């Protein structure tokens, strides 16, 4: 029987639990999102996030075991998000993972949240093969990475200020939409007319693979202040904001493929759920003979499946251990993983 890994994600505002079995695939997964709870405050409240993870995590583990038809005794290892993220929220997952593993005498493995996102397209069929370029676009990160294998990550470029997800969220907020706003802005943009407003494409021709989105937010703010607040105008501005973000992401992703000479692009992270971004990337890159891979929509945003999966791949490399520990890493550079192999 091949190994069964229980995966626990609790780095931000989603409690995600999953069971992954090598050779078989995903056995079960479940997610509780706290978006409704935080939206009242216009953003994630860390203390509330931690308390909610505490309440959700054990019932969700029970649910996933039940749905997967797996008893705790059949679990071979426990993977959890060790960072980066909110310290308190991470500690909830780390504590449950290590306590459970200690009680069951199982190995644990702490997973880097972004590695989870990076590898999540490998859960889909067809899956990309190493090496590939990854465009990682989440609420907190915008990075282009060369991926040669598990634990072989080379940063090509990243955002110098706001992430693409933040650019979506902040523009959405300026347009009066609820947090986290990315999907709502995309929906509003669909009602907008193209080419009415021209917003800046920061660093488009900087000649590297870095991004900057904070100027875009300022430009949206200026536009909102100087326009009427009718629904059509708001939709037109949303359209322009989305176009600007997508243009920059698509241009730099293409440039990264050209630079590395690779022909596969993997898109991961919450913004990867954006339909227009997907259409643009697929069109641009297939035209040049390349291929684009996306995680299934439900695995674009935070989830337990990507953590169980990354854990399974690392455990297959003998990287789990029984040194139970609670040293979560609120900040953690993905490239530190390269030394660990
Ligand atoms: O990866 P993720 O779930 O969380 C982090 O690890 O940060 O990404 C969340 C981000 C948010 O900024 C959210 O607004 C954005 O992904 N997002 C979208 C869409 N769905 C989620 N942005 C644009 N279009 C979407 N359809
Ligand atoms: Zn994430």
């Amino acid at each position: 029987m091949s190994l069964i890994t229980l995966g626990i994600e609790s780095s931000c505002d989603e409690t995600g639990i999953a069971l992954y079995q090598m050779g078989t695939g995903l056995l079960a997964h479940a997610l509780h999102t706290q978006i409704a709870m935080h939206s009242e405050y216009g953003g994630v409240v860390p203390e509330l996030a931690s308390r909610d993870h505490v309440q959700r995590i054990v019932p969700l583990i029970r649910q996933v075991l039940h749905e997967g038809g797996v008893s705790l005794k059949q679990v071979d290892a426990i993977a959890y998000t060790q960072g980066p993220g909110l310290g308190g929220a991470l500690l909830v997952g780390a504590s449950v993972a290590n306590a459970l593993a200690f009680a069951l005498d199982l190995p644990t493995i702490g997973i880097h949240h972004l590695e989870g996102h990076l590898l999540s397209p490998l859960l889909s069929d067809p899956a990309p093969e190493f090496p590939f370029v990854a465009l990682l676009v989440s609420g907190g990160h915008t990075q282009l990475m060369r991926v040669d294998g598990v634990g072989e990550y080379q940063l090509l470029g990243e955002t110098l200020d706001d992430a693409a997800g933040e650019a979506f969220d902040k523009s959405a907020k300026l347009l009066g939409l609820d947090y986290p706003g990315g999907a709502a802005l995309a929906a509003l943009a669909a009602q907008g007319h193209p080419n009415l407003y021209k917003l800046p494409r920061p660093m488009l021709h900087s000649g590297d693979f870095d991004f900057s989105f904070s100027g875009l937010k300022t430009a949206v703010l200026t536009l909102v202040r100087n326009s009427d607040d009718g629904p059509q105008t708001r939709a037109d501005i949303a359209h322009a904001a989305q176009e600007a973000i997508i243009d920059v992401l698509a241009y730099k992703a293409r440039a990264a493929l050209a630079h590395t000479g690779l022909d596969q692009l993997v898109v991961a992270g919450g913004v990867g759920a954006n339909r227009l971004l997907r259409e643009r990337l697929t069109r641009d890159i297939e035209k040049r003979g390349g291929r684009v891979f996306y995680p299934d929509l439900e695995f674009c945003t935070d989830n337990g499946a990507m953590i169980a999966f990354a854990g399974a791949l690392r455990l297959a490399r003998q990287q789990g251990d029984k040194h139970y520990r609670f040293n979560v890493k609120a900040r953690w550079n993905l490239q530190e993983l390269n030394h660990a192999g």
Side-chain angles (χ1 to χ4, degrees):
M1 257 265 291
S2 15
L3 294 186
I4 296 181
T5 305
L6 173 70
I8 301 179
E9 153 66 32
S10 72
S11 65
C12 188
D13 57 352
E14 255 110 23
T15 319
I17 308 290
L19 285 165
Y20 184 87
Q21 182 169 36
M22 266 305 179
T24 309
L26 208 54
L27 302 179
H29 63 97
L31 186 81
H32 173 76
T33 175
Q34 307 174 351
I35 285 178
M37 182 178 83
H38 296 297
S39 71
E40 227 181 290
Y41 304 91
V44 177
V45 184
E47 176 65 20
L48 293 183
S50 312
R51 291 189 213 172
D52 199 66
H53 286 305
V54 169
Q55 292 186 332
R56 305 285 174 179
I57 203 161
V58 171
L60 274 181
I61 292 173
R62 282 193 206 282
Q63 179 186 330
V64 163
L65 287 168
H66 179 76
E67 286 173 12
V70 172
S71 75
L72 261 187
K73 286 198 191 78
Q74 292 172 286
V75 172
D76 297 290
I78 303 183
Y80 63 97
T81 306
Q82 194 178 6
L86 303 170
L90 288 166
L91 267 176
V92 178
S95 307
V96 171
N98 282 282
L100 200 55
F102 177 64
L104 297 166
D105 191 28
L106 295 179
T108 62
I109 177 127
I111 296 297
H112 193 295
H113 181 80
L114 296 182
E115 176 172 59
H117 277 303
L118 263 190
L119 300 177
S120 62
L122 296 173
L123 277 166
S124 299
D125 185 23
E129 282 172 23
F130 300 119
F132 52 75
V133 170
L135 172 66
L136 197 68
V137 274
S138 68
H141 293 83
T142 299
Q143 299 184 325
L144 275 162
M145 202 100 62
R146 181 191 164 108
V147 180
D148 285 286
V150 177
E152 295 176 56
Y153 311 124
Q154 184 195 338
L155 185 68
L156 301 169
E158 65 184 331
T159 185
L160 306 178
D161 41 58
D162 290 353
E166 266 174 295
F168 266 103
D169 294 346
K170 289 178 178 175
S171 301
K173 196 168 184 175
L174 291 169
L175 291 166
L177 301 169
D178 279 347
Y179 174 86
L185 186 129
L188 183 61
Q191 314 298 319
H193 299 113
N195 306 323
L196 277 188
Y197 299 105
K198 186 79 182 160
L199 287 166
R201 270 87 171 130
M203 295 185 70
L204 192 61
H205 299 294
S206 58
D208 53 24
F209 307 106
D210 288 336
F211 304 86
S212 164
F213 288 108
S214 68
L216 179 66
K217 169 191 65 194
T218 313
V220 171
L221 174 65
T222 309
L223 202 50
V224 167
R225 280 202 183 136
N226 296 329
S227 319
D228 68 83
D229 62 354
Q232 188 57 50
T233 304
R234 288 173 55 247
D236 295 340
I237 296 175
H239 192 285
Q242 177 172 249
E243 279 296 310
I245 298 168
I246 290 178
D247 258 5
V248 179
L249 293 175
Y251 184 92
K252 297 258 168 159
R254 265 195 336 258
L257 283 178
H259 172 79
T260 54
L262 300 179
D263 59 5
Q264 298 177 100
L265 179 74
V266 158
V267 183
V271 179
N274 187 280
R275 191 176 52 81
L276 277 187
L277 174 66
R278 288 182 171 220
E279 285 174 11
R280 167 77 68 81
L281 285 171
T282 302
R283 197 181 61 220
D284 284 6
I285 286 165
E286 285 184 354
K287 207 162 49 186
R288 289 168 174 77
R291 281 187 80 183
V292 193
F293 297 84
Y294 304 94
D296 293 343
L297 271 183
E298 61 180 332
F299 300 140
C300 269
T301 45
D302 291 350
N303 63 84
M306 66 184 194
I307 302 304
F309 178 59
L313 293 180
R314 289 207 166 260
L315 286 153
R317 289 166 171 70
Q318 268 76 45
Q319 290 177 349
D321 63 48
K322 294 184 179 177
H323 304 304
Y324 305 113
R325 55 173 101 69
F326 301 88
N327 61 334
V328 297
K329 303 173 185 177
R331 292 175 173 276
W332 187 6
N333 184 339
L334 185 64
Q335 297 202 85
E336 285 171 34
L337 297 185
N338 291 351
H339 311 297

